[in-house]
Amino acid sequence: MKNTFGTNVSVTVFGESHGPAVGAVLDGMAPGIEIDYEYIKHRLKLRAPVGSISTSRREDDDFEILSGVFNGKTTGTPICIVIKNKDVKSKDYSDIKNIARPGHADYTANVKYHGFQDYRGGGHFSGRITAALVAAGAIAATALKNKGIYIGTHIKSLGDIDDIGFSDYRNDIDRLNEKQFAAIDDNIADAMKERIESVAKAGDSIGGVLETAITGVPAGVGEPFFDTVEGVLSHALFAIPAIKGVWFGNAYDMRESLGSEYNDEFYIDGKEQIATKTNNNGGINGGITNGMPIIFSCAVKPTPSICKKQNTVNFESTKETELIIQGRHDPAVIHRARAVVDSVAAIVICDMLSGRFGTDYLR
Amino acid sequence: MKNTFGTNVSVTVFGESHGPAVGAVLDGMAPGIEIDYEYIKHRLKLRAPVGSISTSRREDDDFEILSGVFNGKTTGTPICIVIKNKDVKSKDYSDIKNIARPGHADYTANVKYHGFQDYRGGGHFSGRITAALVAAGAIAATALKNKGIYIGTHIKSLGDIDDIGFSDYRNDIDRLNEKQFAAIDDNIADAMKERIESVAKAGDSIGGVLETAITGVPAGVGEPFFDTVEGVLSHALFAIPAIKGVWFGNAYDMRESLGSEYNDEFYIDGKEQIATKTNNNGGINGGITNGMPIIFSCAVKPTPSICKKQNTVNFESTKETELIIQGRHDPAVIHRARAVVDSVAAIVICDMLSGRFGTDYLR
Amino acid sequence: MKNTFGTNVSVTVFGESHGPAVGAVLDGMAPGIEIDYEYIKHRLKLRAPVGSISTSRREDDDFEILSGVFNGKTTGTPICIVIKNKDVKSKDYSDIKNIARPGHADYTANVKYHGFQDYRGGGHFSGRITAALVAAGAIAATALKNKGIYIGTHIKSLGDIDDIGFSDYRNDIDRLNEKQFAAIDDNIADAMKERIESVAKAGDSIGGVLETAITGVPAGVGEPFFDTVEGVLSHALFAIPAIKGVWFGNAYDMRESLGSEYNDEFYIDGKEQIATKTNNNGGINGGITNGMPIIFSCAVKPTPSICKKQNTVNFESTKETELIIQGRHDPAVIHRARAVVDSVAAIVICDMLSGRFGTDYLR
Amino acid sequence: MKNTFGTNVSVTVFGESHGPAVGAVLDGMAPGIEIDYEYIKHRLKLRAPVGSISTSRREDDDFEILSGVFNGKTTGTPICIVIKNKDVKSKDYSDIKNIARPGHADYTANVKYHGFQDYRGGGHFSGRITAALVAAGAIAATALKNKGIYIGTHIKSLGDIDDIGFSDYRNDIDRLNEKQFAAIDDNIADAMKERIESVAKAGDSIGGVLETAITGVPAGVGEPFFDTVEGVLSHALFAIPAIKGVWFGNAYDMRESLGSEYNDEFYIDGKEQIATKTNNNGGINGGITNGMPIIFSCAVKPTPSICKKQNTVNFESTKETELIIQGRHDPAVIHRARAVVDSVAAIVICDMLSGRFGTDYLR
C-alpha cells in the first residue's frame, strides 16, 4: 500500500497542494474517544505558518469530519477528515511545470507519474498534505493522553544553534505543546527565529534536528523481528517531507562511545519498577519498549525552495536551464514539522498499542 | 505481521540462537534466477566471526535450501533457507536467565513473552538470526546484479576513526565486497581492527557508522506518501540488532547547511541523462529514486555484551544485582553487520522494483 | 487493516448511512486514466434505488473528487471520492437504537463498538457505503476497458426464478451494463421485478444469486499460495453487505459431477491460443488465471429489513421484545448489489494486474 | 504478500511436492502454548492418505520444529515446521512436464513462472503443501481449545450422498475429530467410501461439500468493512487446492427463502445470553461474530487427476495432444481436505482473536 500506513490503527492520506482539499482517513481507533475540536485546531495552528519565518500562504485549516464520529465521540469506524484548500495561487507554478526544482520531487514525480502529476505547489508531495495528518494525529494523541501517554517535540538544533535537552519530560512536553516555536529554552527559541529570518532575507533556507519524547508507553510493546518500534516509527516518519534521518536515543551523539558508556544499566526505581539510569537506547531494547521514555531524533533538511538562482534541467526537453523560484515558500519547515512528527508518532503508538493489547485498549 | 517484511518480494525470518536452526523464507523473487551457492557462502563468510575481533562461537553456516529452487534456479515460489545451529553452549546462559543484561532485550522480551522466551544466547534477538537474512539477501543481490544494480557497505567510522568516502562507486563496491573487513582504505581498516582488539582487551565494546551505496536503481522507484524508499529501507534496517539510526545522503553531516548548499542541482550528464552534481539527498527526492546512487548510513551501537561488571536487575525477583557476562561475544559487530545491511537492502530493493515494474522484472 | 483493501491498488472506504457523507480513497491507480464523469454517474445510477422494488430513500449521489485527478485524468496519487448524504431521516431509527434487528449488524456492532456506533440506518454497516465503492470501481473499470477487460453481472437467480446463462460474453456484458435491472433475458427480468413487488407487498424480502463474468484478463495472474484470484476476490466480495457465499465457475452446480465431467480440457483455439472447451473452473487453475473468462457467483441473502413483526432482544436491557421495522428499506438488494459486485471486482483485478505487471500496466 | 497470510497471527508456507520438504512458519502465536506432539501427529494422520480411497504415495509426515518452541511451549516467536518429502517418484512426471493436465495448474504455472516451476507432482501447487498447514493449524487449535473454542468439519455431501447435519455441536465436533473419514453418520460414511472406491475403479474422481462448525468464539470479532469474518476466512480457505466455493450458514440451501424465513430471531437463552433461534447467517452479522457457532461450507471439486484419457495441449509446442495421467493420485481429496480446512480456520480465528483482544489473549 502506498498512502495507507498501519496495521491495527491505520491512516490513509490524500490530496494535493492546489487541489480541492487534503485529507486523512484514520481507521481502527477505539470507539468512545472524545473529539476535542479545540485541541485539533490548536494542533493545526502549531503546524500553520506564522509570521515572517514561514510561507505567506495562509490557510485557515478549517477541517470537516465526514465519518466515524457520532455524538462527539469516535465510533470505531474510519474517521475521514477533510481540509479544503483555499489560499491557492496556482499560476505561480505553471511556468515551471517542466523545471526540476533542486531538492524537490518534481523530476522524480515526473518519471513515476509520466507527466500526469499535479505539479502545482508540489502537488501530492507538498507539506500541505501533512495538515490532514496533524488533525488525525490530534485524535490519536487524545486517546493516548487518556492512557497517560504524552508526546512532545523540540527543535534540538537549528543550523548550529542547539536547544537545551529535556530535563523534566512531562513538564517539558506540556510546555512545548503550548509553544508555537518549540525550543525548550525561550532565549534559544528567539535566537533560532532570528536565524531563520536572516536566512530568509538572504534568500536561503535552513534545517536542523527535531527531538521527540514519548512518555508513558508501557514496557513490552513492539513486534520484532521486523516490526520493531524503531522500524515502524521510522517508516512513518520518513513520509514527512524534508525528514532525511531518524535515530533513537543517543545513537548519533554517542556513536564514538564504548559499550560500557552506552549500555543503560537497570535499577529498581522509587516505585519498585524496573528502570534504567541512562536512556541511551531511547526506551527501546531489541525493538521492544522498556518503559523508559521513547526518544528519537529526526534530521530535517533545509527547505529546498530558495530564492537564489539555481542550475537545473527542464525534464521535458532534457535541457539545462536556470531557475529562480517564485511563489510563496518557507525559509525553514522544522518549526512546523514538529507538529507533524508528534502526530505521526501518536498514530504509530496507537497502532502498536492496539496490536499489542487489542482494539479496545485505547477507549 | 511481525517476522515477515515486504510487499511484492518478502522475507520471513525464524530461529533462535541456541535452537535447532535459524532460517528465512524469501518469497516473490522472480523465477529463473540462478542460485550461486559459492556466492551465498561468500556472503555468509563476510558475516561470520573471524579472528580476535569477533566472538569465538564458530558456526560453519552450512545452509540448506528446502524449496523454491529447481534445476539450480529460482522457481518463483518461496525459497526456504535453513542454517542449523551447531556450536551451541547453552549452559553459559542458564545462570543469568532472569538477569537483564544492559542494552540487551532480555528484560523487554520477558515482559512481552511472559518468561516463555528462549533466553539462551539472546534467543530470537540474537544476531545469529541475521545469518539467514544474509543468505536470502545473496539471492536477491544476484537478481539485482543481473539488472546492473550493485550494493556495497563500508565502515564509515569506528569510534572516532573515519574511513575515506566512496570515490568510484562501482569499483569501491566491488572491492568492498571482497573484503572481510570493509573499510575502503586498507590502512584505516588496520587501525580499526587494532582499535577493536584493544577495546576487546579492555573488556569493552565499540560501535560506529556504516555507509551503504546502491548503484543502478532506475529513477522513479518509491511509493509515497508512506512507502518512500527511505521509509521502507529504514523499517527493514532497524530490524538488524544494534542499528539505532538511519539517515540518507548527507542528512547528518550537513545538518547545519543552508538550502543553497544542500540542494542537489540537476544537469545533463555525458550520456544525455538527467543527473545531479552533488548527491546530498542520497539519490532520493520526495521518497522516489532519482537515478543517482542511493546512499544511506546506519548507526551501529557498541555491542551490549561486555566483560566489565555492570549493575542491573533480576526481573524475576525485581531485585538489583551485579552482572559479569560470561560466554562468547563480540567486542564489535559493525564489521559483521555490514553484510546484513547489504542483504536487507538487496531484498528491499527487489521488493520495490517488483512492485514498480512487476513480478517478472528481475528475471 | 480494516477498511482498506488491496496491495498495489487499494481502496479505503468510510462513512455512515446518516452521517455527513460516504466516500472512498482509491490508491495506486496508474496515472493518465481519463475520469469519465458520465460513466461514474451511470454506474451510480445502476446502484441507485428505482421504482417500487427499492427503498424510497432517494439520494442524488452527487459525488465530488477531492484529490488524485488533474486535467481530467488520474495523477497516480490517491483519489478521494466523497458522496454527501442528503435524504436523511434519522429519527426513524432513534426508537430502536438498542433493538437488534434480526439479520442486521445492530447487536454485533454494539458488542464491538460498545454502544458508540452510529446506529442510524445501520451506520457504517449500511449498503449506503457501497455507493462510494461503485464510484471508485467505475474508475477502475475505465482503466480495465482500456486494456480490453470487461466485467458484467447478472441476476442468475431471484428466489426460484432463474435467468438464462451467458452465451456471448462481450455482448451480454455490454447489454447488462446498460440495464437498470440486470437479467440477461428481459422477460425473466420482468418476472423477477414482479416477484420483488409481490414480496414487498407482503412485507417480506427476497435474495438470490449474482453471476459475474470478467473477460480479457490475461493468463498468469494470481499469487498462490494465499493470494489466489479466488481468495482475493472473495475476501473483497464478502465485504458487500448481504453477500454470504462466493463460488467460482460451476463449483456449486456441478458439485455432484465426476472429475471427467468437471475437468476443462485444453485445446488450441482459432487464434492459436491455448483455451479450454468448458469453463467449469471459472477461468482459474491453481489460483491463477488461465485466460478464459473469470466466472464467479455470489449468494445474496434476502434483505434483513422486513415489515413483519419479529421477535428479538433489546441488547441494552438484555430483554426480549418484538419489533416492527419502520423507515425506508429494500425488499431486495440483489438488483442494486450487482453494480457493487462489478466495482469490487474491477478494483481487485486492477490490484492483481498492477502487482503482476507493475504500476504502469494500466495506463 | 503471496505465501504469507494473516495480520496479527500469520502463516507462511513453502515447499514443493517433490522437493526436499514442505513447511510452514506460524508467527504471532501467543507465548506459553503447549506443543502437543501427539495431537499434531493425529491431525497429520487425518490428512494422510489411507486405504484404497487415496493415493498410494505414503509419507510418514515426520515433522520437525526448528524454532519458536522452548521447553515444550511456544515462545511467541515464529514457529518453523518442516516435513521432509521421502516417498518421491519424480520420474513419473518428467514425461509430461509440458502437458497441461486438465483442471491442474500446470499451464497457468507455466505462464506465470515461465517454465522455471518445479513441475514434478504439481510442485508448489500440490496438496502436499497442506501437510505443513495442518501441523501449524494443530498448534493454533490447541491454543483455541484453551479458550473453549472448537472446530470440526464433516463431509456434508459427496457427489449426491448427503451426511446428516450437526445436531450437538460440541459432541459432533469431538467425534468428527476422532474419525479418519469425517461423516457424522457412520453408515453414510461407509456409503461415501464405497462411492469413492467405485469412482476410483472407473478411473474417475469425485468431489463434494465440506461443512465446518466453530463453537465458542465470542461475539464482537471481525473487522468490517473489508476484514469481515467471511472475507478473511474465505481468502485463506480458497488457498486450499480444489476448494472452489465458500459460503456461510445456509446461504446456499436457503437461497430461495424470504427474509422472514432467513432472518435469525434473537432471544435470551437459558444462561441470560443473547442468542439466535436459527443460525442461517452462520454466526456472523455484518461481518462480526454474534456468539453463535460459525458455520461455513466449502465446495471441493473432483480431483483433477483421473486415469481416463483426456484431450489437452502441450504448452511448449502449443499443440493439441492426448493424455493419460500415470503416477499416484487421489480419486477424492475431500476426506483429506477436511483436516486442512480445520487448520486454516484455526489459524484465521487465532489471528482475528489476537487482533481483537491483543497478542496475549490466547496464552
Side-chain angles (χ1 to χ4, degrees):
Chain A
M1 247 161 278
K2 298 157 169 64
N3 291 274
T4 299
F5 189 80
T7 302
N8 294 287
V9 169
S10 65
V11 66
T12 300
V13 297
F14 58 85
E16 279 80 31
S17 178
H18 290 225
V22 298
V25 182
L26 180 65
D27 191 20
M29 285 303 299
I33 298 165
E34 198 154 351
I35 301 296
D36 183 341
Y37 289 86
E38 289 310 310
Y39 180 64
I40 299 173
K41 280 182 204 169
H42 170 66
R43 294 299 308 179
L44 284 167
K45 190 165 165 296
L46 294 187
R47 196 206 73 95
V50 173
S52 55
I53 58 171
S54 300
T55 174
S56 60
R57 176 175 177 181
R58 295 297 146 96
E59 293 281 2
D60 59 16
D61 284 346
D62 269 355
F63 64 93
E64 195 180 1
I65 297 181
L66 296 184
S67 63
V69 173
F70 183 50
N71 292 333
K73 291 185 175 161
T74 60
T75 58
T77 58
I79 302 162
C80 181
I81 307 165
V82 170
I83 305 177
K84 294 277 169 68
N85 292 322
K86 296 173 183 172
D87 185 14
V88 168
K89 295 185 179 173
S90 301
K91 67 176 162 42
D92 290 348
Y93 296 90
S94 53
D95 291 347
I96 58 163
K97 60 178 271 199
N98 295 320
I99 312 295
R101 291 172 300 160
H104 273 289
D106 304 327
Y107 168 60
T108 55
N110 191 65
V111 176
K112 180 163 171 53
Y113 302 114
H114 303 282
F116 294 104
Q117 69 277 11
D118 183 349
Y119 54 80
R120 299 168 302 169
H124 189 56
F125 296 84
S126 167
R128 175 92 189 117
I129 279 68
T130 62
L133 264 181
V134 167
I139 297 171
T142 301
L144 293 175
K145 282 190 283 186
N146 295 342
K147 304 296 289 187
I149 298 169
Y150 297 86
I151 302 176
T153 298
H154 74 119
I155 303 172
K156 189 181 186 181
S157 65
L158 179 100
D160 60 2
I161 308 173
D162 293 334
D163 192 16
I164 59 172
F166 285 102
S167 52
D168 172 353
Y169 283 110
R170 276 288 286 115
N171 187 34
D172 289 343
I173 289 171
D174 283 352
R175 287 177 55 243
L176 284 168
N177 285 328
E178 292 304 316
K179 294 184 183 189
Q180 187 69 28
F181 191 95
I184 297 174
D185 184 293
D186 287 333
N187 292 327
I188 294 172
D190 290 340
M192 287 177 171
K193 284 186 275 189
E194 276 169 39
R195 174 67 60 86
I196 296 173
E197 280 172 356
S198 82
V199 163
K201 271 179 202 147
D204 219 321
S205 66
I206 193 164
V209 175
L210 292 171
E211 185 182 49
T212 302
I214 310 176
T215 63
V217 177
V221 176
E223 298 293 345
F225 187 78
F226 287 110
D227 282 351
T228 60
V229 176
E230 295 105 324
V232 180
L233 266 173
S234 68
H235 189 156
L237 290 165
F238 275 117
I240 303 173
I243 290 191
K244 296 291 281 188
V246 176
W247 56 95
F248 290 82
N250 289 316
Y252 201 85
D253 293 340
M254 293 183 67
R255 69 195 180 285
E256 300 181 7
S257 304
L258 299 179
S260 57
E261 300 163 315
Y262 195 93
N263 276 354
D264 300 309
E265 293 193 333
F266 291 97
Y267 75 109
I268 307 295
D269 72 9
K271 297 170 194 161
E272 294 295 305
Q273 298 292 312
I274 293 171
T276 62
K277 288 173 193 165
T278 52
N279 190 13
N280 299 320
N281 285 284
I284 306 163
N285 295 134
I288 299 172
T289 55
N290 65 14
M292 298 297 292
I294 299 172
I295 308 294
F296 63 87
S297 297
C298 295
V300 182
K301 73 173 185 176
T303 330
S305 291
I306 57 176
C307 297
K308 298 190 165 183
K309 184 160 73 178
Q310 298 181 84
N311 295 306
T312 187
V313 301
N314 179 313
F315 45 74
E316 179 81 358
S317 62
T318 324
K319 289 206 184 314
E320 297 185 348
T321 184
E322 288 181 343
L323 169 73
I324 298 180
I325 299 178
Q326 310 293 337
R328 305 165 298 183
H329 41 78
D330 292 273
V333 292
I334 190 167
H335 55 295
R336 301 177 59 195
R338 55 69 78 112
V340 188
V341 167
D342 286 341
S343 282
V344 165
I347 294 168
V348 167
I349 297 297
C350 283
D351 183 19
M352 299 201 88
L353 289 168
S354 298
R356 178 73 176 90
F357 300 117
T359 55
D360 283 350
Y361 179 74
L362 290 168
R363 78 193 184 90
Chain B
M1 246 160 277
K2 298 158 169 64
N3 290 275
T4 299
F5 189 81
T7 302
N8 293 288
V9 169
S10 65
V11 66
T12 300
V13 297
F14 58 86
E16 278 81 29
S17 179
H18 290 225
V22 297
V25 182
L26 180 64
D27 191 18
M29 285 304 299
I33 297 165
E34 198 154 350
I35 301 296
D36 184 340
Y37 288 87
E38 289 309 310
Y39 181 65
I40 299 173
K41 281 182 202 168
H42 170 67
R43 295 299 308 179
L44 284 167
K45 188 166 166 295
L46 294 188
R47 197 206 72 94
V50 173
S52 55
I53 59 172
S54 301
T55 174
S56 59
R57 176 175 177 180
R58 295 298 146 96
E59 293 281 2
D60 59 15
D61 283 346
D62 270 354
F63 64 93
E64 196 181 359
I65 297 182
L66 297 183
S67 63
V69 173
F70 183 49
N71 292 333
K73 291 185 175 161
T74 60
T75 58
T77 58
I79 302 162
C80 181
I81 307 164
V82 169
I83 304 177
K84 294 278 169 67
N85 292 322
K86 296 174 183 171
D87 185 15
V88 168
K89 296 184 179 175
S90 300
K91 68 177 162 40
D92 289 349
Y93 296 89
S94 53
D95 291 348
I96 58 164
K97 59 178 272 198
N98 295 320
I99 311 296
R101 291 172 300 160
H104 274 288
D106 305 327
Y107 168 59
T108 56
N110 191 66
V111 175
K112 179 161 171 53
Y113 301 115
H114 303 282
F116 294 104
Q117 69 277 11
D118 183 348
Y119 54 80
R120 300 168 301 169
H124 189 57
F125 295 84
S126 166
R128 174 92 189 118
I129 279 69
T130 62
L133 264 180
V134 167
I139 297 172
T142 301
L144 292 175
K145 282 191 284 186
N146 295 341
K147 304 295 289 185
I149 298 169
Y150 298 86
I151 302 176
T153 298
H154 74 119
I155 304 172
K156 189 181 185 180
S157 65
L158 178 100
D160 60 3
I161 307 173
D162 291 335
D163 192 15
I164 60 172
F166 286 101
S167 51
D168 172 351
Y169 283 110
R170 276 288 288 114
N171 188 34
D172 289 344
I173 289 171
D174 283 352
R175 287 178 54 242
L176 284 169
N177 285 329
E178 292 303 315
K179 295 184 181 189
Q180 187 70 26
F181 191 94
I184 297 174
D185 184 293
D186 288 333
N187 293 326
I188 295 172
D190 289 340
M192 287 177 170
K193 283 186 276 190
E194 275 168 40
R195 174 68 60 85
I196 296 174
E197 280 172 358
S198 82
V199 164
K201 271 179 202 146
D204 217 322
S205 67
I206 192 164
V209 175
L210 293 171
E211 185 182 47
T212 302
I214 310 175
T215 63
V217 178
V221 175
E223 298 294 345
F225 190 78
F226 287 110
D227 282 351
T228 60
V229 176
E230 294 105 325
V232 180
L233 266 173
S234 67
H235 189 155
L237 290 165
F238 276 118
I240 304 173
I243 290 191
K244 296 293 280 187
V246 176
W247 56 95
F248 290 81
N250 290 314
Y252 200 85
D253 293 341
M254 293 183 66
R255 68 195 182 284
E256 299 182 6
S257 304
L258 298 179
S260 57
E261 300 163 315
Y262 195 92
N263 276 352
D264 300 308
E265 292 193 333
F266 291 96
Y267 74 109
I268 309 294
D269 71 10
K271 298 171 193 159
E272 295 296 305
Q273 298 293 311
I274 294 171
T276 62
K277 288 174 194 164
T278 51
N279 190 14
N280 299 321
N281 285 283
I284 306 162
N285 295 134
I288 299 172
T289 55
N290 64 14
M292 297 297 292
I294 299 171
I295 308 294
F296 63 86
S297 298
C298 295
V300 182
K301 73 174 187 177
T303 330
S305 291
I306 57 175
C307 297
K308 298 190 164 182
K309 185 159 73 178
Q310 298 179 87
N311 294 306
T312 187
V313 301
N314 178 313
F315 45 71
E316 179 81 358
S317 61
T318 324
K319 288 205 184 318
E320 297 185 348
T321 184
E322 288 181 343
L323 169 73
I324 297 180
I325 299 178
Q326 310 294 336
R328 305 166 296 182
H329 42 77
D330 291 273
V333 292
I334 189 167
H335 55 294
R336 300 178 59 194
R338 53 71 77 111
V340 188
V341 167
D342 286 340
S343 281
V344 165
I347 294 168
V348 168
I349 296 298
C350 283
D351 182 19
M352 300 201 89
L353 288 168
S354 297
R356 179 72 177 91
F357 300 117
T359 56
D360 283 349
Y361 179 74
L362 289 168
R363 76 191 186 90
Chain C
M1 247 161 278
K2 299 157 169 63
N3 291 274
T4 299
F5 189 81
T7 301
N8 294 286
V9 170
S10 65
V11 66
T12 300
V13 297
F14 58 85
E16 279 81 29
S17 179
H18 290 225
V22 297
V25 182
L26 181 65
D27 190 19
M29 285 304 299
I33 298 166
E34 199 155 351
I35 301 296
D36 184 340
Y37 288 86
E38 289 309 310
Y39 180 64
I40 299 173
K41 281 182 203 168
H42 169 67
R43 295 299 308 180
L44 284 167
K45 190 166 164 294
L46 294 188
R47 196 206 73 94
V50 173
S52 55
I53 59 171
S54 300
T55 174
S56 59
R57 176 175 177 180
R58 295 298 144 95
E59 292 280 2
D60 59 16
D61 283 346
D62 269 355
F63 64 93
E64 197 180 0
I65 297 181
L66 297 184
S67 63
V69 173
F70 183 50
N71 292 332
K73 291 184 175 162
T74 60
T75 58
T77 58
I79 303 162
C80 180
I81 307 164
V82 169
I83 305 176
K84 294 277 169 67
N85 292 321
K86 296 173 183 172
D87 185 14
V88 169
K89 296 184 180 174
S90 300
K91 67 176 162 42
D92 290 348
Y93 296 90
S94 53
D95 292 347
I96 56 164
K97 60 177 273 198
N98 295 321
I99 311 296
R101 290 172 301 159
H104 274 288
D106 305 327
Y107 168 60
T108 56
N110 191 66
V111 175
K112 179 162 172 53
Y113 301 115
H114 302 282
F116 294 104
Q117 70 276 9
D118 183 349
Y119 54 80
R120 300 168 302 168
H124 189 56
F125 295 84
S126 166
R128 174 94 189 117
I129 280 69
T130 62
L133 264 181
V134 167
I139 296 171
T142 301
L144 293 175
K145 282 190 284 186
N146 295 342
K147 304 295 287 185
I149 296 169
Y150 297 86
I151 301 176
T153 298
H154 74 121
I155 304 172
K156 188 181 187 180
S157 64
L158 178 100
D160 59 2
I161 307 174
D162 292 336
D163 191 16
I164 59 172
F166 285 101
S167 51
D168 172 352
Y169 284 110
R170 276 289 285 113
N171 188 35
D172 289 344
I173 288 171
D174 283 353
R175 288 177 54 241
L176 284 169
N177 284 329
E178 293 304 316
K179 294 184 184 190
Q180 187 69 28
F181 191 95
I184 296 174
D185 183 293
D186 287 333
N187 293 327
I188 294 171
D190 290 340
M192 287 176 170
K193 284 186 273 190
E194 276 169 38
R195 175 67 61 85
I196 296 173
E197 281 173 356
S198 81
V199 163
K201 271 180 203 146
D204 219 321
S205 67
I206 193 164
V209 175
L210 293 170
E211 185 183 47
T212 302
I214 310 175
T215 64
V217 178
V221 176
E223 297 294 346
F225 189 79
F226 287 111
D227 283 350
T228 60
V229 176
E230 295 105 324
V232 179
L233 266 172
S234 68
H235 189 156
L237 290 164
F238 275 117
I240 304 173
I243 288 190
K244 296 291 281 187
V246 176
W247 56 96
F248 290 81
N250 289 315
Y252 200 84
D253 293 341
M254 293 184 65
R255 69 195 180 283
E256 299 182 5
S257 303
L258 299 178
S260 56
E261 300 162 315
Y262 196 92
N263 276 353
D264 300 308
E265 293 194 332
F266 290 96
Y267 75 108
I268 308 295
D269 71 9
K271 298 169 195 163
E272 294 295 305
Q273 298 292 311
I274 293 171
T276 61
K277 289 174 193 165
T278 52
N279 190 13
N280 298 320
N281 284 284
I284 307 163
N285 294 134
I288 299 173
T289 54
N290 64 15
M292 298 297 292
I294 299 171
I295 308 294
F296 63 85
S297 297
C298 295
V300 182
K301 73 173 186 176
T303 330
S305 290
I306 57 176
C307 298
K308 298 190 166 184
K309 184 160 74 178
Q310 298 180 85
N311 295 305
T312 187
V313 301
N314 179 314
F315 46 71
E316 179 80 358
S317 62
T318 323
K319 287 207 185 315
E320 297 185 350
T321 184
E322 287 180 344
L323 169 72
I324 297 180
I325 299 177
Q326 308 294 335
R328 304 165 298 182
H329 42 77
D330 291 272
V333 292
I334 190 167
H335 56 294
R336 301 177 60 194
R338 55 69 77 112
V340 188
V341 167
D342 286 340
S343 281
V344 165
I347 294 167
V348 167
I349 297 297
C350 284
D351 183 19
M352 299 201 90
L353 288 168
S354 297
R356 178 73 177 92
F357 300 116
T359 57
D360 284 350
Y361 179 73
L362 289 169
R363 79 194 182 89
Chain D
M1 246 161 278
K2 297 157 170 63
N3 291 274
T4 299
F5 189 81
T7 302
N8 294 288
V9 170
S10 65
V11 67
T12 300
V13 296
F14 58 86
E16 279 81 30
S17 179
H18 290 224
V22 297
V25 182
L26 181 64
D27 191 19
M29 285 304 299
I33 297 166
E34 198 154 351
I35 301 295
D36 183 342
Y37 288 86
E38 289 309 309
Y39 181 64
I40 299 174
K41 280 182 203 167
H42 170 67
R43 293 301 306 180
L44 283 167
K45 189 166 165 295
L46 293 188
R47 198 207 71 96
V50 173
S52 55
I53 59 173
S54 300
T55 173
S56 59
R57 175 175 177 181
R58 295 300 145 94
E59 293 279 2
D60 61 14
D61 283 346
D62 269 355
F63 64 93
E64 196 180 0
I65 297 181
L66 297 184
S67 64
V69 173
F70 184 50
N71 292 333
K73 290 184 176 163
T74 60
T75 58
T77 58
I79 303 162
C80 181
I81 307 165
V82 170
I83 304 177
K84 294 278 169 67
N85 292 322
K86 296 174 183 171
D87 185 15
V88 169
K89 296 184 179 174
S90 300
K91 69 175 161 42
D92 290 348
Y93 297 89
S94 54
D95 292 347
I96 57 164
K97 60 178 271 198
N98 295 320
I99 311 296
R101 290 172 300 159
H104 274 288
D106 305 326
Y107 168 60
T108 56
N110 192 65
V111 175
K112 180 163 172 52
Y113 302 114
H114 302 281
F116 294 104
Q117 70 276 9
D118 183 348
Y119 54 81
R120 299 169 301 169
H124 189 56
F125 296 83
S126 166
R128 174 93 189 117
I129 280 69
T130 62
L133 264 181
V134 166
I139 296 171
T142 301
L144 292 176
K145 281 191 284 186
N146 295 342
K147 304 296 287 187
I149 297 169
Y150 297 88
I151 302 176
T153 297
H154 75 119
I155 304 171
K156 189 182 186 180
S157 65
L158 177 99
D160 61 1
I161 308 174
D162 292 335
D163 191 17
I164 60 172
F166 285 101
S167 51
D168 172 351
Y169 283 110
R170 277 289 286 112
N171 187 35
D172 289 343
I173 288 171
D174 283 353
R175 287 178 55 241
L176 283 169
N177 285 330
E178 293 304 316
K179 293 184 183 189
Q180 187 69 28
F181 191 94
I184 297 175
D185 184 294
D186 288 333
N187 293 326
I188 294 171
D190 290 341
M192 287 176 170
K193 285 187 274 190
E194 276 169 38
R195 174 67 61 86
I196 295 174
E197 280 173 357
S198 81
V199 164
K201 272 179 201 145
D204 218 322
S205 68
I206 192 165
V209 175
L210 293 170
E211 186 182 48
T212 302
I214 310 175
T215 63
V217 177
V221 175
E223 296 294 346
F225 190 78
F226 286 111
D227 282 351
T228 61
V229 176
E230 295 105 323
V232 179
L233 266 173
S234 68
H235 189 155
L237 290 165
F238 275 118
I240 304 173
I243 290 190
K244 295 292 282 188
V246 175
W247 56 96
F248 290 81
N250 290 314
Y252 201 84
D253 293 340
M254 292 183 68
R255 69 194 180 284
E256 300 182 6
S257 303
L258 299 178
S260 58
E261 299 163 316
Y262 195 92
N263 277 353
D264 300 308
E265 293 194 333
F266 290 96
Y267 75 109
I268 308 295
D269 71 9
K271 297 169 192 162
E272 294 296 304
Q273 298 293 311
I274 292 171
T276 63
K277 288 174 193 164
T278 52
N279 190 15
N280 299 320
N281 284 284
I284 307 162
N285 295 134
I288 299 172
T289 54
N290 64 14
M292 298 297 292
I294 298 172
I295 308 293
F296 63 86
S297 297
C298 295
V300 182
K301 73 173 184 178
T303 329
S305 290
I306 57 175
C307 297
K308 297 190 166 182
K309 185 159 74 177
Q310 297 181 86
N311 295 306
T312 187
V313 301
N314 179 313
F315 46 73
E316 180 81 357
S317 61
T318 324
K319 288 207 185 314
E320 298 186 347
T321 185
E322 288 181 344
L323 169 72
I324 297 180
I325 300 177
Q326 309 294 335
R328 303 165 299 183
H329 41 77
D330 291 273
V333 293
I334 190 167
H335 56 294
R336 301 178 58 195
R338 55 68 78 111
V340 189
V341 167
D342 286 341
S343 282
V344 166
I347 294 167
V348 167
I349 297 298
C350 283
D351 183 19
M352 301 200 88
L353 288 168
S354 297
R356 178 73 178 91
F357 300 117
T359 55
D360 284 349
Y361 179 74
L362 289 168
R363 77 190 184 92

